[in-house]
Amino acid sequence: MSTAIYPGSFDPITLGHLNIIERAAKIFDELVVTVMFNAAKKTPMFTLEEKLEMVKKSVAGFENVRVESSDGLLAEYAKQFPGAVIIKGLRAASDFEYEFIMDQVNKNMNPELETMFLTADHEYTFLSSSIVRELASYGAELKGYVPDVIIEDIRAKIAEGGK
Ligand code: ADP
């Protein structure tokens, strides 16, 4: 059985992420979407529980997709899925530079670990979680940026003062 792991911070999940999930789920028998936390990234807008909940809601329609979380190193985490490959989305050359380095670092720790890249669909190349957070903080329309099922969750977070 082929397994892929799609890691990310998903703060929050966007339609760009969902597009990668949909495509990877067609290629692999099983896709594990892993919400990574405790990374070097700055303080997230959403708590881990909120991010997990939003990812779970968004992928509810996919039979072969499950959602997990990890606060460890991806290369270590992946060892529990022998033979699994890592899926990354590429939007621009800047994504490639970063991901290329991450791949080398991961291979140093776990030489068996392969990373496969899916290029972003053209309609999502501009889309990132940070753009969504920015739009949300100004009360802008979020339809077309994030899955419909999480729009209310983002609105609620903004209403309670999250940014
Ligand atoms: P972001 O960079 O938006 O904060 P993450 O760190 O959660 O997102 O990204 C997780 C993975 O999803 C990375 O491989 C990233 O390149 C990819 N990704 C993010 N947004 C898109 C998009 N719009 N299209 C394709 N891949 C994407």
Side-chain angles (χ1 to χ4, degrees):
M1 190 169 85
S2 63
T3 302
I5 303 164
Y6 178 43
S9 34
F10 305 110
D11 187 37
I13 185 169
T14 70
L15 288 183
H17 295 131
L18 197 60
N19 175 258
I20 297 288
I21 291 170
E22 197 176 337
R23 290 158 60 198
K26 282 189 195 144
I27 302 169
F28 295 90
D29 296 323
E30 176 189 47
L31 180 67
V32 183
V33 179
T34 308
V35 181
M36 307 294 292
F37 61 104
N38 201 17
K41 290 208 173 178
K42 62 177 176 55
T43 316
M45 174 173 174
F46 295 93
T47 65
L48 174 65
E49 288 68 31
E50 289 165 343
K51 291 195 280 187
L52 272 171
E53 195 53 39
M54 289 188 287
V55 175
K56 282 181 182 164
K57 272 189 200 180
S58 305
V59 305
F62 299 97
E63 259 177 25
N64 62 338
V65 177
R66 65 195 164 90
V67 184
E68 289 198 352
S69 64
S70 171
D71 66 349
L73 283 165
L74 181 59
E76 291 300 326
Y77 167 81
K79 286 181 180 166
Q80 63 184 292
F81 305 98
V85 304
I86 302 297
I87 293 292
K88 292 289 183 85
L90 289 181
R91 284 161 292 190
S94 51
D95 274 351
F96 174 78
E97 264 173 54
Y98 175 76
E99 296 298 354
F100 187 77
I101 293 167
M102 284 314 297
D103 180 50
Q104 303 300 316
V105 171
N106 285 335
K107 279 225 180 64
N108 282 341
M109 282 185 276
N110 182 351
E112 301 293 304
L113 190 58
E114 294 293 354
T115 301
M116 290 186 183
F117 298 95
L118 290 177
T119 49
D121 264 9
H122 66 94
E123 60 203 288
Y124 301 122
T125 47
F126 71 95
L127 188 51
S128 65
S129 296
S130 58
I131 287 293
V132 168
R133 293 195 298 272
E134 181 85 10
L135 288 171
S137 71
Y138 289 106
E141 175 64 71
L142 295 176
K143 206 171 169 56
Y145 295 97
V146 299
D148 288 349
V149 287
I150 69 162
I151 290 178
E152 266 322 298
D153 299 325
I154 300 175
R155 291 257 168 273
K157 186 72 180 184
I158 295 292
E160 77 185 35
K163 196 166 187 260

